[in-house]
Amino acid sequence: MTGSRRDRRRRNLQNARLARTNWLYRPEDVVELYGICRNTLTNWVKTGLVRLEHEGRHLFRGDDLNAFHRQRREDAKRPCEFYEVHCFACKCKHSLLQVNFETQLTRFGDVRLAIECPDRGKPTAKRVTREQLERIVAMRESSPKTKTPD
Ligand SMILES: [Zn+2]
């Protein structure tokens, strides 16, 4: 039981030395190397993994893969910012500046922000004050990152 839980956590916080430094990986190689699904790779790219384009094909540098996972591991250690949600489904932080959320006013006068984990499709929520929500909305509007193509 504990073994499977540990495995799941390990799947989300990947080994930051798994990829070979000077190698180039095709998307299918990355999927196989980390044992992930294609959607997860798409999400990694959306959340900062550097992707190269060569003659119309996507490639990933081993260095970039390792750096991305090193960053993720460090991210997991620090506490959430007010505009981030700690996701129980994938054990990562999701930025409310990047994912869409639904709001619901609670009877205590604060706001419940509900998101769907972009990795796992599972719901996660956090509570913020109305002022924090206003700041999040303002930050989203001023950030070019929130303009997703889909
Ligand atoms: Zn998640």
Side-chain angles (χ1 to χ4, degrees):
M1 229 26 192
T2 52
S4 71
R5 200 183 302 151
R6 201 181 306 138
D7 287 346
R8 201 158 58 228
R9 186 162 55 218
R10 204 182 293 143
R11 252 182 74 193
N12 293 300
L13 285 179
Q14 297 281 359
N15 185 339
R17 278 179 230 144
L18 196 57
R20 295 194 183 204
T21 303
N22 293 313
W23 281 29
L24 285 172
Y25 293 85
R26 297 168 302 172
E28 54 268 40
D29 302 326
V30 177
V31 162
E32 198 185 317
L33 181 66
Y34 295 99
I36 52 167
C37 61
R38 198 68 183 224
N39 277 349
T40 300
L41 180 56
T42 305
N43 286 319
W44 287 358
V45 171
K46 275 190 200 162
T47 53
L49 173 62
V50 177
R51 184 174 64 186
L52 309 176
E53 211 162 325
H54 179 71
E55 292 173 357
R57 301 210 48 191
H58 292 141
L59 291 170
F60 298 87
R61 288 176 55 228
D63 275 346
D64 291 332
L65 285 162
N66 287 340
F68 176 75
H69 291 299
R70 206 155 40 231
Q71 182 65 47
R72 274 202 145 188
R73 295 183 85 89
E74 277 171 24
D75 260 21
K77 286 186 220 153
R78 68 169 174 80
C80 276
E81 303 285 348
F82 73 93
Y83 54 81
E84 291 173 327
V85 181
H86 177 78
C87 175
F88 292 105
C90 73
K91 310 283 190 283
C92 288
K93 295 181 177 71
H94 297 307
S95 171
L96 293 164
L97 310 181
Q98 288 171 345
V99 298
N100 291 324
F101 55 82
E102 287 180 9
T103 61
Q104 193 181 15
L105 207 60
T106 73
R107 63 198 165 94
F108 306 105
D110 54 9
V111 186
R112 183 178 180 274
L113 299 183
I115 68 159
E116 192 176 84
C117 170
D119 248 37
R120 300 295 161 92
K122 295 256 165 54
T124 305
K126 87 175 276 181
R127 276 191 186 181
V128 296
T129 64
R130 287 203 231 186
E131 282 144 19
Q132 285 173 330
L133 174 62
E134 278 170 25
R135 281 176 69 193
I136 291 165
V137 170
M139 285 163 83
R140 283 175 71 96
E141 279 166 4
S142 63
S143 164
K145 268 191 194 160
T146 58
K147 283 172 195 145
T148 48
D150 44 341

